[in-house]
């Protein structure tokens, strides 16, 4: 049979403080079959970090060149370093039939949507904004002013939910993981993804 | 919070011989939270069958009236008796927030699609047509001619797959059930179903 199903690109995003990192880590620990994207960065490798495993380490010039050549699905600057998602690595993994998950900020997700609209956009949402505030305060690293400004950002990020395909409430990490796994499995059953496969088997009796 | 999520209407269909009944029974045995639709029929109740539990028993005249008044989501005649799915029962159950599953033939599913396009249409597919033929022969109730004509029908029913949202391969009953449960869970996470809920919580911190 010539049909080979491609992997899905799963973009997990949501307001900061909602628990994207925790949910991704839990998915990894469960052994969910998802390939984690490797980011490109201009920051120096830390002790033990391996190029092509933890990050793709590139110079500032190389990174600029990647932006120019549209080799990044999304990118951002963070405390003086650049971080981005290399499109070639993602495409190769998908072509190999593996699903890839990207855990990124809301702004990055919107960039991915422009470049890769066929991806699956999952918005990780807090049970309510009170709860989000609690989680941000709980980190204990922010001043009252910073907390207020992060809440303002979070509120405006909630508005962007309608650009996503799915919303997963992070009421409990385990439930959120169940929902994400179900979404990926369900998407693999969509008729529009499989119709070619069944065209091949028709008449083959 | 005023938002109340409605149940989903799940239509499970596919060529006869594919194992719709077996899969539905397995879902029931697992305790999957799905309400089974109760059919209306003009056939006489058998010993122990209760009106409103096993079937809604109606006269031929009442049934014709239901067709006329568009009270049936779909209906068909089978060995001299009429069978149909009552739209009021389905709507009330969905409004109460419960998901309803209908296990019906392909032609019936197309009728439901015209009346209720927002339902979730799942096509249960055989791993291949050889396997379907084996299953039909395995029943041991059909002559060679009947088997051939059922295969012709099955082939043309496979063509109708593109009218469905999802295709679930019935390679193993347990896997098929996993996929169906995932599809229902995933559909409950679709942004277009939940956006109203989140509009209500915005600003509520």
């Amino acid at each position: 049979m010539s049909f080979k199903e491609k992997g899905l690109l799963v973009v997990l995003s949501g307001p900061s403080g909602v628990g994207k990192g925790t949910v991704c880590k839990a998915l990894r620990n469960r052994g969910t079959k998802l390939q984690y994207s490797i980011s490109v960065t201009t920051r120096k490798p830390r002790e033990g970090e391996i190029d092509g495993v933890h990050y793709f380490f590139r110079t500032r010039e190389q990174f600029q060149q990647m932006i120019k050549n549209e080799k990044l699905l999304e990118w951002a600057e963070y405390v003086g370093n650049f971080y981005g998602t290399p499109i070639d690595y993602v495409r190769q993994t998908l072509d190999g039939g593996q699903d890839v998950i990207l855990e990124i900020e809301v702004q990055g997700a919107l960039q991915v949507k422009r470049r890769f609209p066929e991806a699956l956009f999952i918005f990780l949402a807090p049970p309510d904004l009170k709860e989000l505030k609690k989680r941000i305060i709980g980190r204990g690293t922010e001043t009252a002013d910073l907390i207020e400004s992060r809440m303002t950002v979070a509120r405006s990020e909630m508005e962007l939910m309608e650009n996503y395909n799915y919303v997963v409430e992070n009421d409990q990490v385990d439930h959120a993981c169940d929902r994400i796994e179900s979404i990926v499995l369900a998407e693999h059953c969509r008729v529009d993804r499989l119709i070619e496969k069944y065209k091949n088997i028709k008449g083959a009796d």
Side-chain angles (χ1 to χ4, degrees), chain A residues 81-101:
Chain A
N81 291 305
F82 289 96
Y83 294 81
T85 304
I87 200 164
D88 288 347
Y89 176 80
V90 168
R91 282 206 195 278
Q92 281 156 21
T93 313
L94 298 176
D95 287 345
Q98 283 188 290
D99 299 328
V100 176
I101 189 165

Side-chain angles (χ1 to χ4, degrees), chain A residues 88-140:
Chain A
D88 288 347
Y89 176 80
V90 168
R91 282 206 195 278
Q92 281 156 21
T93 313
L94 298 176
D95 287 345
Q98 283 188 290
D99 299 328
V100 176
I101 189 165
L102 290 188
E103 176 222 327
I104 50 180
E105 303 301 320
V106 173
Q107 295 306 326
L110 296 181
Q111 284 184 54
V112 176
K113 197 168 181 194
R114 282 190 291 272
R115 300 286 307 278
F116 211 103
E118 68 271 37
L120 213 65
F121 294 88
I122 302 179
F123 192 95
L124 196 66
D128 53 54
L129 290 178
K130 259 201 197 90
E131 178 59 31
L132 186 67
K133 196 170 181 173
K134 248 196 273 173
R135 291 182 196 178
I136 291 173
I137 294 171
R139 291 185 174 182

Side-chain angles (χ1 to χ4, degrees), chain A residues 24-186:
Chain A
C24 261
K25 212 169 150 185
L27 286 169
R28 238 186 235 260
N29 288 343
R30 280 177 170 215
T32 308
K33 271 189 204 143
L34 288 166
Q35 199 63 31
Y36 292 81
S37 161
I38 301 171
S39 297
V40 189
T41 183
T42 60
R43 83 154 165 73
K44 295 277 163 283
R46 292 184 193 135
E47 179 96 20
E49 282 183 342
I50 301 159
D51 183 53
V53 176
H54 301 92
Y55 283 96
F56 294 111
F57 295 101
R58 296 291 181 267
T59 64
R60 228 158 223 280
E61 293 66 40
Q62 287 171 326
F63 198 97
Q64 298 286 3
Q65 202 59 39
M66 289 181 87
I67 296 173
K68 210 179 126 197
N69 296 340
E70 306 199 321
K71 291 292 189 189
L72 296 173
L73 262 176
E74 54 87 36
W75 62 273
E77 203 183 345
Y78 181 69
V79 286
N81 291 305
F82 289 96
Y83 294 81
T85 304
I87 200 164
D88 288 347
Y89 176 80
V90 168
R91 282 206 195 278
Q92 281 156 21
T93 313
L94 298 176
D95 287 345
Q98 283 188 290
D99 299 328
V100 176
I101 189 165
L102 290 188
E103 176 222 327
I104 50 180
E105 303 301 320
V106 173
Q107 295 306 326
L110 296 181
Q111 284 184 54
V112 176
K113 197 168 181 194
R114 282 190 291 272
R115 300 286 307 278
F116 211 103
E118 68 271 37
L120 213 65
F121 294 88
I122 302 179
F123 192 95
L124 196 66
D128 53 54
L129 290 178
K130 259 201 197 90
E131 178 59 31
L132 186 67
K133 196 170 181 173
K134 248 196 273 173
R135 291 182 196 178
I136 291 173
I137 294 171
R139 291 185 174 182
T141 55
E142 324 267 12
T143 64
D145 270 6
L146 250 176
I147 288 166
E148 263 327 299
S149 86
R150 290 195 55 189
M151 285 305 296
T152 307
V153 172
R155 259 180 240 112
S156 74
E157 284 178 338
M158 292 289 283
E159 304 272 346
L160 298 170
M161 188 190 287
E162 62 191 28
N163 295 290
Y164 289 70
N165 306 106
Y166 295 96
V167 51
V168 163
E169 193 172 300
N170 190 18
D171 48 355
Q172 286 183 42
V173 173
D174 236 30
H175 291 176
C177 289
D178 287 345
R179 291 175 194 130
I180 293 167
E181 286 182 353
S182 287
I183 289 168
V184 175
L185 185 54

